[in-house]
Structures are given as C-alpha cells and as structure tokens.
Amino acid sequence: MNIAARSTKNAAGTSHAGPSARTGRTIEIIDTTLRDAQQCLWATRMTAGMMLPIAEAMDEAGFAMIDFMAPVQFDVCVRYLKENPWEKARLFHEKFRNTPLRGYCRSKSLVGFSMVPDDIVELWIERLHANGFRVVGTLDALFDVDNMLVSVKHAKRLGMYSVGALVFSESPVHTDEVYARTARALIERGNVDAIMIKDSGGLLTPDRVRTLVPALTAVMGGRPLELHSHCNTGLAPLVYLEAIKLGVDQLHTSIAPLASGP
C-alpha cells in the first residue's frame, strides 16, 4: 500500500501499517477474475487458453495480488478441463511477473471433504510454493484455529505471505467477538500477515460492517484487512464503500462481466 508510515515489506509486497498510518492510505485491489469470479458464474470452466490473452494486461494493471487457484480449481482442471493444474500454475507464474499469485488451503480437508494428516497439508503448501504461489489464504468454516495453523505455520516457514480467512455467517453465535477472538488467535499463534473477511454467501450488510470491521482492526496490530464479498443481494458495493471508511485496506473484485452478481 502506498502509505508513507509503512515500513517493513512482506512477501506479497505489502507492508504492515500501524494505526496512525491509516489516514491517507491507498486502497489495494485483489483481482478474483481467474479464480472465484469464474468459479461462481462459470462453474470454474475457464481454461488456460481463455486466460492467456489477458494475462499480460492483468499483470500490468497494478493489482496487489491475483487470486488464482483454490482447491476446487485443481479438481475441475483434472475432472473436466483435462488440464494439469500444476502446469497451469507454473505457466501463469511466468506470465505474472509483477503480481503474486494467490492460492488457498481449506483447513485440513484440502481438495476433498475428509480430513487429511498434517503432513499432507504441509505437502500441499510446499507444492503451492514450488509451483509459483507466493500467497496462501487459509480458512476453516468452524473457526478451528488449530486446524488452520498447520498450513499457516508451514507457509510462514516457506516465506509465503499468509492470510487468515474468516468465513462470514449470520447467526446468534457469529458475533463480532467471535471474529475478533479468532483473528487475534491467528495473529498471536500463527503470525499471519493479514486477515480476510470471506463473505462467500453475500450476507454482509452495511450495518453489520460498521461493527465487524472496527472489532477486527482493534486486534490486528495494523495488519491489512481484506474484504471479499458477493453481490447476491445487491449490497456488496455499499458494503465495500462503508468498509473502506472503517479501515478495510484491500478489496476483492473482478472484471465487470463477472461482477455485481453471485
């Protein structure tokens, strides 16, 4: 981020900022076109051939990161696209010379729904790093920090930029305090570089953001706060604008044809 008070650079080229650095900040964009946008609207059927013509322009656009592949992309590449997902990752690592590629780890279930041993999770992170990913986001829908720390800590050992993703849900138990406590645990126990609000269901409202974002920034020690939402209800643009005012540093977006919807 283009903030004068920032100092230490991390693996993704972004710095941690203290609370005093938040005024006059530049909001960064994390592009999700090649990952979640096409995943939600096109059932993840975007081939490497579809991506290649726009890769150079995207690399030069100035995005903070390119959200490129999560576990489902690996599944679909093999099952339906008949592509080698690792070859695909290496190819685009070469194309995106200025912008770090981002991958994900879904707790300890990875590409399936069964739990796998810790060493398999660590192998997954190692392979992501070896094939060009420099950023990894880790999520656990039940906020099991112990499960998240397996990938978080291994990513840090490899020098990757690590993001703790908090899956948003609206229920009596999903309080601001629960989100803040989980974020604090990921920071204190895993030393994550950033926290992400992952609103996969498009459930966030401007009213809820007004309490959730301050609760998170209060415990984050100046680390970047990302916001990822969907526009199922049409509220995402308003949620984003309100979140920026409250201290969110990075927004997940996509190109217009894949935006403003699910």
Side-chain angles (χ1 to χ4, degrees):
M1 296 179 185
N2 183 20
I3 303 175
R6 290 189 181 274
S7 55
T8 307
K9 288 284 183 181
N10 57 41
T14 308
S15 307
H16 296 325
S20 62
R22 291 191 173 275
T23 57
R25 72 196 195 283
T26 296
I27 306 301
E28 287 190 330
I29 301 300
I30 297 170
D31 187 81
T32 70
T33 302
L34 303 183
R35 207 277 300 175
D36 204 23
Q38 62 114 355
Q39 176 180 321
C40 291
L41 280 84
W42 295 350
T44 323
R45 297 304 196 267
M46 191 182 287
T47 65
M50 297 173 182
M51 297 176 179
L52 278 171
I54 198 65
E56 183 178 351
M58 291 184 69
D59 189 39
E60 295 175 352
F63 296 123
M65 308 171 198
I66 297 291
D67 184 3
F68 190 60
M69 294 177 80
V72 69
Q73 273 72 40
F74 287 79
D75 186 321
V76 171
C77 276
V78 174
R79 289 177 184 266
Y80 303 109
L81 304 184
K82 309 308 178 187
E83 295 178 331
N84 182 326
W86 298 113
E87 288 183 359
K88 192 172 188 175
R90 290 191 295 271
L91 171 63
F92 283 92
H93 175 58
E94 294 177 359
K95 298 297 180 182
F96 292 113
R97 298 181 180 276
N98 304 306
T99 317
L101 292 184
R102 177 173 177 144
Y104 283 89
C105 181
R106 190 174 61 216
S107 189
K108 292 174 67 175
S109 61
L110 298 184
V111 296
F113 293 98
S114 300
M115 303 288 275
V116 300
D118 289 2
D119 57 353
I120 299 299
V121 176
E122 293 177 348
L123 179 62
W124 175 260
I125 299 299
E126 288 176 10
R127 290 299 88 201
L128 287 178
H129 182 262
N131 286 277
F133 291 90
R134 294 298 173 259
V135 182
V136 62
T138 296
L139 62 123
D140 185 292
L142 299 179
F143 293 175
D144 190 322
V145 173
D146 288 330
N147 282 350
M148 296 174 74
L149 288 178
V150 178
S151 59
V152 165
K153 290 184 175 181
H154 203 58
K156 296 293 290 183
R157 283 193 287 269
L158 294 170
M160 299 178 76
Y161 181 86
S162 178
V163 181
L166 307 179
V167 180
F168 181 77
S169 185
E170 192 65 79
S171 81
V173 301
H174 289 86
T175 63
D176 294 344
E177 290 74 20
V178 166
Y179 286 101
R181 182 168 66 246
T182 307
R184 184 187 297 111
L186 288 168
I187 291 167
E188 293 178 352
R189 298 176 59 193
N191 192 29
V192 294
D193 295 288
I195 294 293
M196 167 188 174
I197 302 172
K198 183 174 175 57
D199 180 27
S200 309
L203 301 173
L204 269 174
T205 65
D207 285 343
R208 183 60 191 277
V209 159
R210 292 187 188 106
T211 62
L212 179 59
V213 170
L216 288 172
T217 56
V219 302
M220 287 174 52
R223 285 170 172 78
L225 177 59
E226 304 177 10
L227 176 56
H228 172 111
S229 188
H230 293 241
C231 206
N232 306 37
T233 63
L235 289 177
L238 298 177
V239 168
Y240 274 28
L241 290 172
E242 192 66 26
I244 290 169
K245 299 175 188 175
L246 295 164
V248 162
D249 303 291
Q250 296 174 318
L251 299 174
H252 291 226
T253 69
S254 75
I255 60 171
L258 295 174
S260 300

